[in-house]
Amino acid sequence: MDLADFFAIDKLSQSDEEQLIESAMQLQQVMMLYEAGIREIKTKLDTLNDESRICGKSSPIDAIKSRIKTPRSIIGKLKRRGFPITLQSMLKNLNDIGGIRVICPFIENIYTVADMLIRQDDLTLIERKDYIANPKPNGYRSLHLILQVPIFLSDRTQPVRIELQLRTIAMDFWASLEHQLRYKSDVQVPAHVSADLKACADVIAATDEEMQRLAKELHVL
């Protein structure tokens, strides 16, 4: 289907077209803020990695991934939570439009990276959820931070909130596959499968702890 047909732009009045263009431009500007917020925090993470490398230390970060929610996903979340479907509502009520996932080799690295970010003068910690110390019932483990970062524009400073998920390689392996099995399956996940997935998470968590113990014994940490 042609995009013009999909949006029925040819059937809009001139005032409707102008309103549509204005709304699209506003959404693009807001998305730019989240892209800038992600870029600011990723720069800080890269600096931490560079500092470790120059000092001859093991890097606390294995990989960094980022994403911005799609407009469909944003609208769906606003609807589910009963918030108005507006750009102002999106900025005020949603913390995870812009997201960064930090993958670390060892559990201790997660807290090192988190503490480094929280100490930054221009970042404000809005929320912290430690699913490593207190795993979710399904076995999910990760450290979640909501950080507010100032974006300096030509005429103002606009704070935006970015969600960080910090995991070990093992935690990310489990979470990625669990999500694929649970949410991309065509069938309802039976209770015994959920229990098996939880058991796998527990085994992986124990392995994470053992690998960290070995790293300390070998003075890698």
Side-chain angles (χ1 to χ4, degrees):
M1 177 182 292
D2 186 80
L3 283 178
D5 293 332
F6 181 81
F7 287 108
I9 291 177
D10 57 333
K11 300 176 184 178
L12 297 176
S13 66
Q14 183 175 353
S15 61
D16 289 337
E17 288 181 13
E18 291 173 355
Q19 183 177 0
L20 179 63
I21 292 170
E22 177 65 22
S23 296
M25 290 180 64
Q26 289 178 357
L27 178 60
Q28 188 176 32
Q29 290 169 356
V30 170
M31 291 297 105
M32 179 270 292
L33 291 175
Y34 288 100
E35 290 173 357
I38 287 173
R39 192 160 53 243
E40 289 284 337
I41 294 177
K42 286 179 73 174
T43 297
K44 295 177 183 297
L45 293 168
D46 288 337
T47 300
L48 175 63
N49 253 355
D50 290 343
E51 181 185 11
S52 297
R53 175 178 52 81
I54 291 172
C55 294
K57 300 178 182 177
S58 298
S59 172
I61 298 173
D62 182 74
I64 302 171
K65 305 174 184 178
S66 63
R67 63 102 183 99
I68 293 181
K69 279 186 176 294
T70 64
R72 183 184 298 275
S73 178
I74 292 169
I75 291 172
K77 192 160 191 177
L78 288 172
K79 283 184 175 179
R80 288 193 301 273
R81 295 191 172 186
F83 294 127
I85 312 300
T86 65
L87 293 177
Q88 291 76 16
S89 175
M90 179 182 80
L91 283 165
K92 178 181 178 181
N93 298 308
L94 299 186
N95 290 329
D96 61 346
I97 296 173
I100 299 176
R101 185 176 300 162
V102 182
I103 313 301
C104 301
F106 301 102
I107 299 169
E108 189 173 295
N109 298 144
I110 291 174
Y111 295 102
T112 298
V113 173
D115 290 344
M116 183 279 297
L117 288 174
I118 293 170
R119 288 197 304 268
Q120 299 284 318
D121 292 338
D122 57 342
L123 295 181
T124 303
L125 178 65
I126 302 299
E127 185 177 271
R128 177 187 180 114
K129 292 183 178 179
D130 192 342
Y131 297 116
I132 301 172
N134 302 287
K136 289 187 177 183
N138 69 342
Y140 175 85
R141 289 167 170 83
S142 183
L143 178 64
H144 288 199
L145 304 178
I146 303 298
L147 295 175
Q148 184 167 278
V149 54
I151 304 302
F152 298 96
L153 303 173
S154 60
D155 59 345
R156 71 186 190 281
T157 300
Q158 175 68 52
V160 297
R161 295 188 297 275
I162 303 295
E163 181 189 54
L164 266 76
Q165 298 177 356
L166 298 104
R167 309 172 179 171
T168 63
I169 298 168
M171 292 173 193
D172 189 59
F173 159 77
W174 180 88
S176 298
L177 291 185
E178 192 267 354
H179 183 271
Q180 184 172 342
L181 292 172
R182 185 176 295 277
Y183 297 103
K184 296 190 177 181
S185 173
D186 294 331
V187 299
Q188 182 71 26
V189 177
H192 74 275
V193 173
S194 293
D196 289 344
L197 288 169
K198 168 65 165 55
C200 288
D202 293 340
V203 170
I204 287 173
T207 303
D208 247 343
E209 293 282 356
E210 183 65 10
M211 293 300 289
Q212 178 162 278
R213 184 190 68 79
L214 295 172
K216 288 185 175 181
E217 184 173 329
L218 298 172
H219 304 290
V220 174
L221 281 175

